[in-house]
Amino acid sequence: MPTTAPQPTVAPIIEVENVDFFYGPTQAIHGINLSFPRKQVTALIGPSGCGKSTLLRCFNRMNDLIDNIDVRGRITLNGDDIYAPTTDVIELRRRVGMVFQKSNPFPKSIYENTIYGLRIAGVKDKAVLDESVERSLKGAALWDEVKDRLHTSALGLSGGQMQRLCIARAIAVNPEVILMDEPCSALDPKSTARVEELIGELRKEFTIIIVTHNMQQAARVSDFTAFLYEGFLIEFGQTDKMFMKPKKKQTEDYITGRFG
Amino acid sequence: MRRNYWKIGEPWVWATGAALSVTLLIAVTLIAVIMVNGLGVFWPGKLQQLELKDGSKLLGELIQSEPVHRGEGLRRQYKIANRDLYGLDFRWIDETEILRADHPAAAIVLEREENGDFFGFLDAVQASGLELPAGAAPYAQLHAALDQVSVMKAAGHATDQQLSTASYRLEQLRRDQLKAEYQGVDPRSSSYQELLHEQERLKVDFEHLMKQQRKEQTNLRQYQATFSDANGRTSNIVLADIVQAYRPNQLAWHQQVIFYAAKLKELIVGEPRESNTEGGLFPAIFGTIMLIFTMSLFSFPLGVIAAIYLREYAREGVVVRVVRIAVNNLAGIPSIVYGIFGLGFFVYGIGSNIDKLFFPELLPTPTFGTGGILWASLTLALLTVPVVIVATEEALGAIPREFREGSLALGATRFQTLLRILLPMASPGIMTGLILAMARAAGEVAPLMITGVVKLAPALPIDGNFPFFHLDRKFMHLGFHIFDIGFQSPNVEAAKPMVFVTTLLLVLIVLAMSSLAIRLRNRMKKRYTFSTF
């Protein structure tokens, strides 16, 4: 049962056409059609197990790590088919960065963490790396806190700082899209506020797709919202409109906290 | 109430504590037994002179006393030494037979090159060619003579050294000749003739050195001293045979400490004497450490790489599960089976083919086709590789998924992720595997016995002769040493102290190597795991 949704007016960067997703025999996503607008924040909301993380992980093919999966339909990034056999996954992942639920800085220095993406791409020029570290850490609002200890271990940072370091790491390679999978669920309210503030800054340069369980967060940070339920896209639209006046009963029930 | 007591689990907490205590107790007891018996061996014991009821006398060192079997009183065991005179080193005496006992100050102990110790008294020194302090006491004369003899012996050692170099070069030339003949070089060709000339020249040198050595020997053997045992039986002993002479009943405590330290030094740097029951253990220590290192060199990379394939690249399925079960079960195969496999596969299989390919001129004398340190290391590597594989797999599996994904999400390949993130993070666990593997290898004896360990190796596997590492050579090993002197020695009673000392050394070496590895692991742990959360 393919679901159609009103398309936003902004030019899309990622387009999802009739996508089904299977874990072995279990279908997790049912015929979703969706367009993600460029340089906007789109939130994916829905109860646990609704397929929002699975959908998110399709955009950088993180699902490839799991055995026995099957993706049908078409997902394009700037017109390039993500699941085409000719697609270079390494290249794709440089264009689509990701920030995870649990912050995962590598056991290296703050400096090395930030430029990890450049290092593995083979960048060796010290000036370029230095410049990238400063720009990325400033972009992730972490520079002032760590500029004096760039070469100490990243594992000594606080939870909120670690998550911002992961964001800095993601933006260091200049991706077109940043995926965020519940980036604040392990953070305290103060750190959450900082990350949300940061998302507001980042949307000037990047397209952001964020999965969240937190309705208020979705309402605060996103421009567009997609509500998924049991693998189906129920509703997609501008966040303020959707939260003020949801079109579907299920959306209203979820947003107002009647279930989920 | 009673039910509740069991439910809370209090008794189980006690049971876990008890289990730990028992384990600790066993380990501590074992170590204590080894320490007590091993550390005391070199302490100079006092010599006791006994007068017995039958009128004879006895001079010896008290070893132990125990109740007489089904009788009254105690019996004592004395080390009476003088194997050349009595045939036995030890004697049991009933306490009831003893009339009187004292510690004569003049009693002397000689450590000899042959026939074990001599316990007795010094009568006179016969050394006409040596400069002895005239009018001094015989004991002072003895030491003066011994000092001069040892200088001559050192000169003799230089000759020995030259002889062994000459014989090594002769052997090399013989090999070259064999090779030339095998390759069908014309016997009239200049290179072949040169070989023969060189050989002749060396042979002359060799004969000359032999003559010189013989002359030195006869010269040395003319210096003797007369000793008598407790009953007045005299015996002439060649000074060159005496390793050390001292009067234990006159040693002050600081002299005892110096004596102890000197013996300990001899143990670690000296060569074995008297079918290994006396002297040092250096070749065995060297062989043990080298064996463990060579083993690690093979088993560590092999195990880690195999584990990486199993965990990171192999598709999870029936085959991988079977392989994993097989690897785990490899650890349960008796080590002698590995030894037999090593003998059949490495020594007879690979070794004899190496000989056919590279050393055909020497056949039927095997070069690699016989046991050697290389084959023993490979056999042990095979034995320890499952430990490394299991540890590495566990370590890789224990890394949270986020790190793998974090790296891949930044555009890293699987190999980059492995090299830059996973392996460093798994390194403490991999090190644990290596420590276990090394400890296991250090304790193995059975597989070595058929793959290259010997009672007495003529040369170390590393020496100054090109190509320096002689992995085809046979070697000595502390574990085998324990078995050999403890059970295969002609004089087990006399070898007993050495068994404990060797055991202690082996335990200490394992301890030293694992503490080194553990320090390394802790440094890695500090670097690669979370300290704050």
Side-chain angles (χ1 to χ4, degrees):
Chain A
M1 185 187 77
T3 316
T4 45
Q7 300 302 307
T9 47
V10 192
I13 182 162
I14 289 182
E15 286 183 280
V16 179
E17 294 165 31
N18 274 325
V19 166
D20 294 317
F21 189 94
F22 297 87
Y23 289 110
T26 320
Q27 188 167 7
I29 291 176
H30 300 263
I32 286 183
N33 285 292
L34 201 51
S35 291
F36 290 91
R38 193 181 301 269
K39 294 201 177 174
Q40 300 285 320
V41 180
T42 307
L44 297 177
I45 61 168
S48 297
C50 70
K52 54 192 189 306
S53 279
T54 303
L55 182 64
L56 189 77
R57 281 159 174 266
C58 284
F59 302 149
N60 64 348
R61 289 184 56 175
M62 220 50 187
N63 288 325
D64 290 11
L65 301 181
I66 304 160
D67 287 337
N68 260 329
I69 56 147
D70 189 18
V71 191
R72 293 177 198 160
R74 199 175 132 90
I75 305 174
T76 54
L77 171 66
N78 273 334
D80 305 332
D81 187 353
I82 287 177
Y83 276 92
T86 50
T87 303
D88 180 1
V89 183
I90 304 299
E91 177 60 29
L92 169 73
R93 287 181 186 151
R94 280 189 195 135
R95 291 170 65 189
V96 183
M98 187 162 186
V99 176
F100 294 83
Q101 178 174 6
K102 214 175 146 209
S103 62
N104 53 357
F106 304 130
K108 296 170 179 287
S109 67
I110 295 168
Y111 186 91
E112 285 297 326
N113 259 286
T114 315
I115 54 162
Y116 183 80
L118 295 175
R119 275 241 194 268
I120 54 176
V123 179
K124 289 206 175 72
D125 189 343
K126 181 102 175 38
V128 174
L129 296 176
D130 284 347
E131 190 273 330
S132 166
V133 167
E134 184 169 345
R135 185 178 47 77
S136 311
L137 288 175
K138 275 181 177 160
L142 192 61
W143 176 252
D144 291 333
E145 290 159 64
V146 300
K147 64 177 180 227
D148 299 325
R149 48 174 177 142
L150 289 177
H151 294 281
T152 60
S153 173
L155 306 183
L157 296 173
S158 74
Q161 287 172 326
M162 280 188 190
Q163 195 60 298
R164 274 180 285 145
L165 179 62
C166 291
I167 294 173
R169 197 171 69 184
I171 61 179
V173 288
N174 259 323
E176 294 163 41
V177 181
I178 300 175
L179 310 175
M180 296 188 172
D181 193 355
E182 298 182 44
C184 300
S185 66
L187 300 183
D188 62 75
K190 206 175 154 201
S191 304
T192 303
R194 295 212 61 171
V195 172
E196 286 181 6
E197 204 179 302
L198 180 58
I199 293 172
E201 289 294 314
L202 291 175
R203 61 187 283 263
K204 290 173 193 159
E205 282 183 68
F206 306 98
T207 308
I208 294 172
I209 303 175
I210 177 170
V211 164
T212 179
H213 267 133
N214 182 332
M215 285 321 111
Q216 286 80 25
Q217 186 172 59
R220 280 195 300 265
V221 302
S222 69
D223 306 300
F224 293 88
T225 300
F227 173 57
L228 277 74
Y229 184 66
E230 290 186 346
F232 294 95
L233 177 66
I234 304 299
E235 191 169 347
F236 176 71
Q238 280 180 315
T239 303
D240 39 7
K241 282 185 190 156
M242 196 162 134
F243 273 74
M244 295 294 275
K245 205 171 168 233
K247 291 193 185 97
K248 298 266 172 72
K249 177 84 171 53
Q250 276 166 312
T251 317
E252 191 184 343
D253 286 350
Y254 183 70
I255 289 172
T256 52
R258 231 163 278 167
F259 78 95
Chain B
M1 182 65 203
R2 203 180 146 75
R3 230 184 106 92
N4 203 15
Y5 177 75
W6 285 97
K7 240 183 175 169
I8 285 170
E10 192 80 352
W12 305 119
V13 178
W14 279 98
T16 52
L20 180 68
S21 315
V22 170
T23 323
L24 273 181
L25 201 67
I26 293 170
V28 167
T29 312
L30 183 70
I31 300 288
V33 166
I34 295 170
M35 294 268 275
V36 167
N37 285 289
L39 289 176
V41 169
F42 296 131
W43 195 255
K46 287 212 179 328
L47 284 187
Q48 226 174 41
Q49 182 167 260
L50 304 179
E51 251 176 70
L52 303 180
K53 274 185 179 158
D54 62 4
S56 68
K57 284 183 177 177
L58 175 151
L59 185 69
E61 186 185 341
L62 180 63
I63 302 294
Q64 56 176 326
S65 52
E66 60 174 37
V68 178
H69 183 56
R70 270 184 303 187
E72 291 189 7
L74 293 168
R75 61 173 194 158
R76 299 181 188 171
Q77 189 190 30
Y78 282 92
K79 179 182 175 187
I80 54 173
N82 306 4
R83 203 180 301 153
D84 42 342
L85 297 181
Y86 308 148
L88 286 169
D89 295 75
F90 292 86
R91 194 168 150 192
W92 286 97
I93 307 279
D94 265 7
E95 274 192 350
T96 50
E97 284 178 51
I98 301 172
L99 283 179
R100 211 178 25 245
D102 61 350
H103 295 93
I108 195 166
V109 175
L110 305 179
E111 276 172 34
R112 299 182 292 183
E113 299 272 4
E114 278 167 20
N115 290 323
D117 292 349
F118 179 89
F119 292 171
F121 302 94
L122 173 66
D123 292 342
V125 182
Q126 292 117 25
S128 45
L130 299 175
E131 293 171 28
L132 300 181
Y139 186 72
Q141 288 196 338
L142 176 70
H143 268 278
L146 281 176
D147 287 345
Q148 289 169 49
V149 167
S150 77
V151 171
M152 289 187 234
K153 262 162 99 176
H157 278 311
T159 318
D160 291 349
Q161 208 63 51
Q162 283 174 333
L163 254 177
S164 87
T165 315
S167 90
Y168 182 82
R169 284 184 55 200
L170 260 176
E171 171 65 18
Q172 291 303 110
L173 280 176
R174 193 182 68 86
R175 286 180 176 209
D176 289 347
Q177 188 193 349
L178 281 172
K179 199 169 191 169
E181 279 166 15
Y182 182 83
Q183 287 166 345
V185 172
D186 183 6
R188 279 160 305 178
S189 73
S190 64
S191 63
Y192 190 81
Q193 288 300 324
E194 203 170 302
L195 210 63
L196 286 186
H197 280 308
E198 177 76 9
Q199 222 165 347
E200 282 309 313
R201 214 174 45 72
L202 259 174
K203 259 184 198 151
V204 172
D205 273 6
F206 191 77
E207 288 303 320
H208 178 73
L209 280 169
M210 283 289 275
K211 226 174 269 169
Q212 191 184 334
Q213 193 194 32
R214 228 169 299 143
K215 214 174 87 190
E216 280 168 359
Q217 289 279 339
T218 17
N219 183 37
L220 266 177
R221 295 198 79 79
Q222 64 177 331
Y223 308 120
Q224 299 185 347
T226 315
F227 295 86
S228 56
D229 77 343
N231 292 314
R233 249 173 97 179
T234 58
S235 171
N236 276 341
I237 294 171
V238 176
L239 292 185
D241 281 347
I242 298 174
V243 178
Q244 175 159 229
Y246 60 99
R247 290 184 290 195
N249 295 350
Q250 286 187 33
L251 287 180
W253 71 268
H254 66 273
Q255 285 168 313
Q256 286 178 317
V257 171
I258 292 168
F259 178 89
Y260 186 86
K263 289 290 277 187
L264 220 56
K265 188 184 155 208
E266 187 200 357
L267 177 79
I268 292 168
V269 300
E271 302 278 331
R273 287 186 280 130
E274 295 243 25
S275 62
N276 296 352
T277 58
E278 298 281 335
L281 288 172
F282 178 70
I285 296 172
F286 190 88
T288 308
I289 294 176
M290 183 170 166
L291 179 75
I292 297 175
F293 272 113
T294 327
M295 180 282 299
S296 311
L297 229 55
F298 292 121
S299 98
F300 185 56
L302 183 67
V304 170
I305 291 170
I308 287 172
Y309 182 79
L310 272 182
R311 175 64 66 175
E312 297 296 320
Y313 292 105
R315 228 183 143 75
E316 206 60 41
V318 182
V319 181
V320 167
R321 269 209 297 279
V322 169
V323 168
R324 201 166 281 146
I325 291 170
V327 165
N328 284 324
N329 281 327
L330 273 183
I333 294 176
S335 53
I336 188 72
V337 176
Y338 281 99
I340 297 165
F341 176 80
L343 182 71
F345 183 71
F346 293 128
V347 179
Y348 295 153
I350 299 179
S352 57
N353 278 315
I354 290 180
D355 280 358
K356 271 182 215 150
L357 276 175
F358 299 105
F359 307 100
E361 69 278 5
L362 294 177
L363 286 173
T365 315
T367 311
F368 278 96
T370 175
I373 194 162
L374 175 67
W375 304 137
S377 310
L378 279 169
T379 308
L380 281 190
L382 219 59
L383 183 102
T384 51
V385 111
V387 183
V388 180
I389 292 182
V390 170
T392 307
E393 264 215 89
E394 298 277 315
L396 284 173
I399 298 171
R401 216 180 61 183
E402 295 95 57
F403 293 96
R404 216 174 291 253
E405 292 184 340
S407 171
L408 292 172
L410 283 165
T413 60
R414 292 181 86 163
F415 186 67
Q416 284 172 324
T417 306
L418 184 73
L419 223 57
R420 287 165 185 262
I421 307 294
L422 300 183
L423 279 185
M425 289 186 80
S427 56
I430 297 174
M431 282 302 287
T432 308
L434 187 66
I435 294 165
L436 288 174
M438 281 183 358
R440 168 111 203 252
E444 282 297 343
V445 177
L448 304 180
M449 284 163 69
I450 47 180
T451 52
V453 88
V454 283
K455 182 188 175 75
L456 195 65
L460 293 176
I462 299 180
D463 64 17
N465 291 319
F466 186 80
F468 311 120
F469 289 86
H470 305 275
L471 292 178
D472 56 321
R473 281 192 187 161
K474 300 203 186 286
F475 63 102
M476 291 173 73
H477 185 266
L478 286 171
F480 180 72
H481 205 81
I482 295 169
F483 168 73
D484 178 59
I485 55 179
F487 298 96
Q488 308 282 296
S489 150
N491 194 344
V492 172
E493 194 73 38
K496 209 165 93 181
M498 212 56 176
V499 173
F500 282 111
V501 171
T502 314
T503 313
L504 188 62
L505 254 179
L506 184 57
V507 171
L508 284 180
I509 286 177
V510 174
L511 196 74
M513 291 178 96
S514 8
S515 13
L516 197 78
I518 287 171
R519 275 192 61 165
L520 213 64
R521 181 182 69 187
N522 289 347
R523 273 181 56 182
M524 290 172 173
K525 241 186 200 158
K526 236 166 136 182
R527 254 182 94 172
Y528 297 125
T529 48
F530 287 85
S531 45
T532 52
F533 238 144

